[in-house]
Amino acid sequence: MKRIIQKLTVAACFVATAFTVQAQNADEVFRAAGSPHDPKVQISFNRYYTAEGLAALGKKIADAYPNLVKRVSIGKSYEGRDMWMLQITNFEKGDPDRKPGFYVDGNIHSNEIQGGEISIYTAWYLTENYGDIDFVTEMLDNRIFYIVPTINPDARNNYMQEPNTGSSPRAGMIAMDDDQDGLFDEDLPDDIDGNGSITQMRRKSPTGNMIVDPQDPRKMIAIGVDDNVPADVVRYEFLGQEGIDNDGDGQVNEDPHGYYDPNRDWAWKWQPDYIQRGAYKYPFSVPENRAVADFVLAHPNIAGGQSFHNSGGMILRGPGAEEDLSTYNRADIRIYDAIGEKGEKILPGYRYLTVYKDLYSVFGGELDWFYGSRGIYTFTNEIFTSFAYYKNNEGGRRGGNLSYDVDSELLMGDAFEPWKTFNHPTYGEIEVGGFKKNFGRATPGFMLEEECHRNMAFTLYHAYHMPNLSISNVEEKDLGGGLKEITATISNDRLMPTHASQDLKYKIERPDYISIAGVDVQAGMIVEDADFGVTTEQKVNPAKLEVANIPGDGFVKVRWIVSGKGKYTITVDSAKGGLVTK
């Protein structure tokens, strides 16, 4: 415990340093391409931050850029922590609630931490580069980002501050009775060597099937059926992860935190635990997910979404289960494919995949709820791939030596805890060692900023292709008798339509409205074919035409027959496409 406290104290000092370091004088630095040249907020992106650290960074960004950032809590976690969101746009231009919105979150699985840093990096990059990079300026003038760095703050802290493996805890912190003995979370892993990580236990045994690699004392080698092991070579047996039998039931580490999976809790194709392992009581029974859902339901302007997990280097789209295959139709898949395939270019080593087909079945997943229930084009990125360790990652480096090579060649031995002897209350003399929890799934510090930037670039590409509407042409024709024909062309020059096919199928969101004011409207119609004069008249309230959809990279034409003189105004009102007036 003393060692853990010391490590946390050092980590706190690092965080404090990251907050307080001041910018250097202009004559001491040279701007790197694509990076802020004089950031108001100094952040080190070669480390990870606790939930409180992320919150403090978010506050610094919001305080530095009050015209670009609003920091709000969208709810409370199970343990009562605020779930902080950064709403980022140019608040001095247009109504922020009427701009196309892009939602970003990270860290739904507590050990999958990189999403927190990617989210903060995205907020930092957008704000620091507004006014310097035209692309960023245009984005924040016309779009709004809703960024929640961690939607599992309780368990993020548990992963970082308590003994864990690289894969624990995955759930949140709601206590459960995993072994059904009437007790809750009573047999957690035990940090025998006090290094903050749960590694492996091994024991010398004359019948063991492992030996120490004579070329590398860190590594164990399995004894093959045809291997002749000399009598003087020590054999070992593995005993599993560090731990003791805390409750005296003859099992070790059998009742850890959880287990429920927050990414099996969403209200789309949800299935109970006996079908979908990890499901909790009912859809949105996890309070953090409920907070996200309530926010999204209250913001129909959200057109795109991105969540960050780890690991494996994947850009994932739904469906999560083959039973849901018909939900994703051909028109929307073309849009997913265009963005996902661009992601493979932006993120070297990443693969664009479909969850059910290329990974495994998921019922009640977040990305399926966003698309299936709300018609929001959504991706999940599994952050980090071993491809990044060595650019020519071929041959033996893809085998069992890769982690050991990285530890010795790139991390100078910092990733592996050497084997040490301990006296175990059940097993007697054992040895404890292995890879630490911050290695394997979590991107190493020296690679983290690149990981943040590339994933942000993919996110911004996705956000760029949300609907972008304009009234591109207005034509007038005198019909005589005081009547005039006004035809307006409404263009959308981005990939996404104002309504996904799923949205149209279930009428999730209201139609788009195209209206005219300042004249007396006698008739209103949608132009189906301008060449042949085919129109569909809207007889009720013709001044405010209802349009089912404005397609991506396409347009719609509308027409009114009006009387009266003077100036008139045409307005396009789309929930996901925004508000445009001419």
Side-chain angles (χ1 to χ4, degrees):
M1 180 60 71
K2 183 177 179 181
R3 289 182 64 184
I4 296 174
I5 292 172
Q6 289 173 338
K7 286 176 180 287
L8 292 176
T9 301
V10 171
C13 292
F14 280 146
V15 171
T17 300
F19 291 169
T20 57
V21 170
Q22 299 299 313
Q24 293 177 284
N25 295 329
D27 61 353
E28 295 177 340
V29 296
F30 178 72
R31 182 180 184 179
S35 295
H37 69 281
D38 187 20
K40 290 183 180 180
V41 181
Q42 300 288 330
I43 303 176
S44 295
F45 287 103
N46 62 354
R47 64 196 65 178
Y48 295 97
Y49 299 91
T50 65
E52 289 75 20
L54 293 176
L57 288 173
K59 186 176 187 304
K60 275 191 164 290
I61 293 170
D63 289 346
Y65 294 97
N67 60 319
L68 298 177
V69 184
K70 288 186 178 178
R71 180 174 177 263
V72 299
S73 173
I74 63 169
K76 297 282 188 179
S77 68
Y78 173 71
E79 293 183 343
R81 290 179 175 85
D82 280 303
M83 297 174 62
W84 292 109
M85 169 183 281
L86 300 177
Q87 300 181 2
I88 303 178
T89 187
N90 179 0
F91 284 96
E92 297 176 351
K93 182 176 181 179
D95 182 348
D97 293 330
R98 298 311 320 277
K99 296 178 181 181
F102 195 91
Y103 173 86
V104 179
D105 73 32
N107 201 201
I108 189 172
H109 292 137
S110 50
N111 64 303
E112 301 182 4
I113 56 177
Q114 293 100 312
E117 280 63 37
I118 295 170
S119 297
I120 285 292
Y121 183 89
T122 302
W124 175 80
Y125 187 90
L126 288 172
T127 52
E128 296 289 356
N129 283 300
Y130 182 84
D132 285 341
I133 296 178
D134 291 343
F135 177 84
V136 171
T137 304
E138 181 183 347
M139 289 284 277
L140 295 192
D141 282 347
N142 299 299
R143 271 114 169 76
I144 184 168
F145 290 83
Y146 303 111
I147 301 176
V148 189
T150 173
I151 60 173
N152 195 348
D154 301 342
R156 179 183 180 90
N157 277 9
N158 182 275
Y159 165 78
M160 292 182 173
Q161 297 174 340
E162 300 296 330
N164 280 292
T165 70
S167 299
S168 70
R170 181 179 172 88
M173 300 310 293
I174 301 173
M176 296 183 69
D177 179 13
D178 294 282
D179 54 354
Q180 299 182 352
D181 62 354
L183 302 173
F184 292 78
D185 293 357
E186 81 284 356
D187 198 356
L188 302 172
D190 301 277
D191 187 11
I192 293 173
D193 60 0
N195 71 339
S197 292
I198 299 300
T199 54
Q200 296 291 315
M201 300 187 296
R202 71 183 187 187
R203 178 173 63 179
K204 295 175 183 178
S205 170
T207 59
N209 64 346
M210 308 289 293
I211 61 172
V212 174
D213 185 343
Q215 303 300 318
D216 189 341
R218 299 170 299 174
K219 189 178 178 183
M220 301 294 292
I221 301 175
I223 301 172
V225 293
D226 296 324
D227 291 341
N228 294 315
V229 180
D232 61 344
V233 173
V234 178
R235 290 172 175 252
Y236 286 87
E237 60 181 341
F238 272 123
L239 300 172
Q241 295 173 351
E242 282 182 80
I244 62 175
D245 180 11
N246 292 288
D247 55 355
D249 65 353
Q251 300 181 74
V252 175
N253 301 347
E254 83 283 357
D255 195 2
H257 291 299
Y259 177 73
Y260 59 95
D261 188 329
N263 202 36
R264 306 296 185 268
D265 179 65
W266 300 78
W268 184 262
K269 307 297 181 181
W270 183 89
Q271 295 289 346
D273 186 73
Y274 65 85
I275 294 176
Q276 172 61 78
R277 172 65 173 147
Y280 195 40
K281 297 177 180 178
Y282 47 80
F284 294 132
S285 53
V286 175
E288 295 88 350
N289 293 354
R290 178 76 263 176
V292 172
D294 287 344
F295 180 86
V296 173
L297 288 166
H299 290 78
N301 61 317
I302 297 174
Q306 176 69 50
S307 64
F308 292 110
H309 295 225
N310 80 29
S311 59
M314 292 175 271
I315 303 164
L316 299 175
R317 71 159 176 89
E322 187 172 8
E323 291 87 335
D324 199 23
L325 190 57
S326 62
T327 298
Y328 290 72
N329 72 12
R330 187 174 300 171
D332 284 347
I333 289 175
R334 280 199 295 267
I335 294 168
Y336 273 108
D337 287 350
I339 297 171
E341 288 165 9
K342 177 67 74 172
E344 289 185 324
K345 178 181 179 182
I346 294 171
L347 293 156
Y350 279 57
R351 297 162 295 155
Y352 167 52
L353 305 172
T354 304
V355 175
Y356 88 90
K357 181 175 65 175
D358 301 310
L359 204 58
Y360 45 69
S361 291
V362 173
F363 295 94
E366 181 182 12
L367 67 83
D368 281 328
W369 180 79
F370 265 72
Y371 176 75
S373 180
R374 304 307 306 154
I376 298 169
Y377 296 97
T378 306
F379 289 92
T380 289
N381 284 15
E382 297 284 353
I383 305 303
F384 194 62
T385 167
S386 61
F387 173 90
Y389 282 136
Y390 299 99
K391 299 306 181 184
N392 185 23
N393 193 357
E394 301 293 342
R397 292 199 187 278
R398 290 194 181 276
N401 290 325
L402 177 62
S403 294
Y404 296 93
D405 289 345
V406 172
D407 176 49
S408 59
E409 297 172 358
L410 295 177
L411 303 178
M412 318 311 158
D414 186 46
F416 192 91
E417 188 70 34
W419 296 98
K420 297 183 180 66
T421 302
F422 292 90
N423 187 32
H424 193 279
T426 301
Y427 298 128
E429 184 178 290
I430 65 167
E431 296 176 14
V432 174
F435 287 102
K436 301 173 186 177
K437 68 182 179 184
N438 63 352
F439 176 73
R441 299 179 70 102
T443 311
F446 77 98
M447 308 173 80
L448 183 56
E449 185 161 358
E450 178 180 356
E451 192 83 75
C452 289
H453 188 90
R454 289 185 180 278
N455 277 275
M456 179 205 67
F458 172 71
T459 298
L460 296 188
Y461 180 80
H462 184 181
Y464 174 82
H465 278 293
M466 293 189 299
N468 187 55
L469 305 182
S470 64
I471 302 170
S472 58
N473 188 43
V474 179
E475 299 176 349
E476 297 182 7
K477 181 178 179 182
D478 189 354
L479 300 179
L483 297 177
K484 182 165 51 178
E485 177 185 279
I486 299 174
T487 302
T489 301
I490 315 303
S491 298
N492 177 10
D493 63 359
R494 303 293 160 82
L495 277 174
M496 294 185 200
T498 54
H499 295 74
S501 298
Q502 177 74 351
D503 186 344
L504 294 173
K505 181 178 179 180
Y506 291 103
K507 295 181 171 60
I508 296 169
E509 194 45 68
R510 65 167 174 81
D512 301 322
Y513 298 128
I514 305 174
S515 60
I516 189 169
V519 288
D520 295 323
V521 178
Q522 307 303 315
M525 61 208 75
I526 298 171
V527 180
E528 308 290 355
D529 190 318
D531 293 323
F532 290 94
V534 179
T535 62
T536 300
E537 184 180 1
Q538 179 180 303
K539 295 184 178 180
V540 177
N541 192 14
K544 187 177 182 179
L545 298 173
E546 295 186 4
V547 176
N549 193 31
I550 303 174
D553 288 328
F555 65 90
V556 296
K557 281 191 176 185
V558 296
R559 179 173 294 158
W560 295 277
I561 308 299
V562 305
S563 59
K565 296 181 179 180
K567 294 183 179 180
Y568 55 88
T569 301
I570 298 173
T571 300
V572 182
D573 181 354
S574 170
K576 288 184 169 62
L579 198 62
V580 181
T581 300
K582 187 172 184 177

